[in-house]
Amino acid sequence: MLQILQDNWLLFLVGQYPHGPIGGLAMTMFMAVTALTLCFPFAIALALARLSPYRVLRLPATAIVHGVRGLPLIMFIFWTYFFSPLIIGRAVGGVETLVIALVIYEAAYLSEIIRAGIEGLPKGQVEAAKALGLGYFATTFKVVLPQALHNMLPSMVSQFVSTIKETSLGYVISAHEVTFAASQVNNVLLTKPFEVYGILALTYFTLCFALTSLARFIERRISAERGAAPGVTVTA
Amino acid sequence: MGYVFDLGAVLSGQYLNWFLIGIATTLALTAAAWCLAMTVGILLTLVRMIPFRPFEWFVALYVEYHRNVPLLVQIFVWYFGVPSLLPRWARLWINAHHGEFLLATVALGLAAAAYVAEDLRSGIRSIPKTQYEAARSIGFGYLGAMGYIVLPQALRIVIPPLINQTLLLFKNTSLAMAIGVGELTYRTREVESYTFKTFEAFAVATAVYLAVSFCIMALGDFADRRLKLEAR
């Protein structure tokens, strides 16, 4: 196992770079960060639309969220793979395909987290903002969202972990990320599949476990903060 | 654009047949992995309740492994890795008995078991300990208290999340295509590459996935409402 790591650690980390496209763990992280960053505005828009009093906004947003939740990610990847050349007019690489598919998929899941965060806020916050004369946008972006997003930090870290795990599907469309790198190593060695995929599993585990532990830590901090906040008693 | 959307082309003859086989395989994989997940999930929960530290650590490690490693990688470990450790006769036996389906079932089932165990634990934990103590004090034994008082209440809490896990499991069976299990996604790609009717093929698969998922979601909503009402 150590021998495999010694020979291939660079491939696991950055793929064939600098002799080829960048890949490996670096690409995994890059795709996860990009996907989560890009899906953020969509997720907020979806969450606000689902909470909106207007049917025109609420119904389509609800349909999108339920539709996405009902399909495997792989379906989105294939749809993106086949559809984006029609829209953009040229073939799209594996990395772009995966990021686009992840943005759509994660936006729906993240929007549910954001919605729960907003619904979890005491009603008094909105009422107080309205009483102060703030409009919808000021209320949402200056009062509701900052608090909701803060409370949701642990869930968002968990969402980041899911995104990292989901980038492994890049393997299916030959996007050069760490699972792809491992399968390359496996194809060269041929005789040590358990060791190669064991290293891969261990890599993901170390990374994701660190992040889930971070999420737990933040969760404790936030609930302690809430418990310790002086003089704030909320009756809903 | 001159593209004629023609569902008939992929929904006739052998292609229809492939789709049906794919759907059947997806459902069979879901069912087999579900049974494994429930069995192992319940076992893990029972093991965890034994007050012996190493058991608790084992279950915690099991759950963390399955939560923090991508399912696709778990499938690869089972499909490529584990057989290489087995003796030759076992490998031959696996190969002769639909190895990819078998190992995909094991990978999907064991991964789902981790989530099932977590759901069961939080369900049992959410029943106040006083319920158990009250049952004991009016003369129920351990089994009676658990079987008549604690578990019926816990089950009510646990069923909606378990239905949600079933939905996830159903969707995750699509990953088995990566090791060549002939389930719906795999068959869809096959139909696509034979007919070049890309959008039709994927439209059919999407519709099937959505239809089944919506049924499971509706069941979840129903259970949620029903069980909540009874609890009042």
Side-chain angles (χ1 to χ4, degrees):
Chain A
M1 209 155 172
L2 276 177
Q3 188 60 43
I4 298 173
L5 258 186
Q6 235 163 41
D7 295 342
N8 299 294
W9 62 275
L10 207 59
L11 192 65
F12 271 105
L13 278 185
V14 292
Q16 285 155 341
Y17 190 80
H19 308 292
I22 198 161
L25 201 58
M27 192 40 111
T28 294
M29 288 307 284
F30 172 76
M31 289 194 295
V33 171
T34 316
L36 203 66
T37 317
L38 291 182
C39 84
F40 215 77
F42 295 107
I44 291 181
L46 270 178
L48 292 178
R50 285 205 69 183
L51 291 168
S52 141
Y54 305 112
R55 260 166 174 258
V56 224
L57 294 175
R58 207 173 56 224
L59 289 185
T62 311
I64 291 174
V65 170
H66 281 286
V68 172
R69 273 167 47 96
L71 280 174
L73 175 59
I74 245 182
M75 281 284 131
F76 284 92
I77 293 177
F78 283 130
W79 277 117
T80 318
Y81 197 63
F82 296 123
F83 239 119
S84 35
L86 281 187
I87 295 170
I88 303 174
R90 64 176 175 85
V92 181
V95 173
E96 289 105 310
T97 305
L98 192 66
V99 168
I100 296 170
L102 275 174
V103 165
I104 304 170
Y105 201 69
E106 297 303 324
Y109 281 90
L110 193 59
S111 84
E112 285 293 273
I113 296 176
I114 296 178
R115 187 176 68 114
I118 293 175
E119 281 180 333
L121 279 187
K123 247 193 161 155
Q125 294 289 333
V126 177
E127 285 163 2
K130 290 240 168 85
L132 285 172
L134 298 183
Y136 173 78
F137 285 100
T139 307
T140 305
F141 289 98
K142 292 198 171 141
V143 178
V144 173
L145 276 180
Q147 298 185 70
L149 294 182
H150 177 72
N151 290 347
M152 283 156 25
L153 267 177
S155 316
M156 278 193 287
V157 178
S158 314
Q159 193 62 26
F160 185 52
V161 172
S162 329
T163 315
I164 290 175
K165 291 194 294 172
E166 273 147 9
T167 56
S168 65
L169 286 184
Y171 168 86
V172 178
I173 50 167
S174 302
H176 291 237
E177 39 70 65
V178 71
T179 308
F180 189 83
S183 72
Q184 278 180 316
V185 173
N186 185 43
N187 287 343
V188 173
L189 294 176
L190 280 175
T191 50
K192 302 260 178 223
F194 187 78
E195 286 81 351
V196 171
Y197 287 110
I199 291 172
L200 180 64
L202 217 61
T203 311
Y204 275 116
F205 181 84
T206 315
L207 179 63
C208 295
F209 184 72
L211 284 168
T212 44
S213 305
L214 176 71
R216 268 193 289 259
F217 172 73
I218 301 175
E219 201 167 350
R220 271 200 303 275
R221 278 283 295 270
I222 287 178
S223 60
E225 214 172 86
R226 266 197 231 129
V232 185
T233 40
V234 187
T235 40
Chain B
M1 292 220 305
Y3 189 90
V4 186
F5 191 82
D6 179 15
L7 270 183
V10 296
L11 281 181
S12 59
Q14 63 166 336
Y15 304 125
L16 177 64
N17 220 10
W18 289 357
F19 271 125
L20 293 178
I21 294 172
I23 294 168
T25 311
T26 289
L27 294 179
L29 194 56
T30 309
W34 192 88
C35 294
L36 183 65
M38 285 301 152
T39 316
V40 177
I42 291 170
L43 280 179
L44 285 172
T45 312
L46 292 177
V47 167
R48 191 183 246 161
M49 279 155 74
I50 300 169
F52 179 56
R53 268 300 161 88
F55 282 179
E56 283 169 41
W57 292 333
F58 167 76
V59 178
L61 188 68
Y62 181 96
V63 169
E64 292 300 338
Y65 169 78
H66 289 91
R67 279 174 134 186
N68 288 309
V69 174
L71 189 51
L72 187 67
V73 176
Q74 294 175 34
I75 292 176
F76 284 165
V77 170
W78 278 103
Y79 182 68
F80 295 114
V82 171
S84 73
L85 302 179
L86 296 176
R88 208 179 112 80
W89 61 267
R91 248 179 299 160
L92 290 175
W93 188 88
I94 289 175
N95 284 339
H97 293 80
H98 300 288
E100 63 290 332
F101 183 88
L102 218 70
L103 292 167
T105 305
V106 172
L108 289 167
L110 291 186
Y115 291 91
V116 169
E118 283 290 276
D119 285 344
L120 290 177
R121 180 174 76 142
S122 61
I124 293 173
R125 260 186 162 183
S126 65
I127 305 303
K129 225 186 159 178
T130 45
Q131 293 281 332
Y132 172 76
E133 286 161 2
R136 288 306 294 263
S137 73
I138 56 171
F140 280 109
Y142 173 77
L143 286 180
M146 287 304 269
Y148 288 110
I149 309 295
V150 177
L151 287 182
Q153 298 185 70
L155 270 183
R156 178 171 289 165
I157 295 168
V158 169
I159 284 174
L162 285 189
I163 293 176
N164 200 27
Q165 293 303 338
T166 310
L167 176 63
L168 284 181
L169 180 59
F170 167 71
K171 289 195 294 171
N172 284 339
T173 56
S174 61
L175 295 183
M177 67 152 279
I179 57 168
V181 178
E183 45 70 68
L184 182 55
T185 310
Y186 184 90
R187 294 290 175 191
T188 307
R189 296 223 64 191
E190 221 169 32
V191 171
E192 186 246 325
S193 56
Y194 269 77
T195 59
F196 294 109
K197 292 281 179 195
T198 310
F199 296 108
E200 289 86 342
F202 278 94
V204 171
T206 303
V208 173
Y209 274 120
L210 277 183
V212 178
S213 294
F214 283 161
C215 287
I216 301 176
M217 281 185 204
L219 188 68
D221 284 349
F222 173 74
D224 218 12
R225 268 199 313 275
R226 205 36 218 282
L227 298 174
K228 242 182 217 151
L229 265 180
E230 275 181 22
R232 278 171 208 278

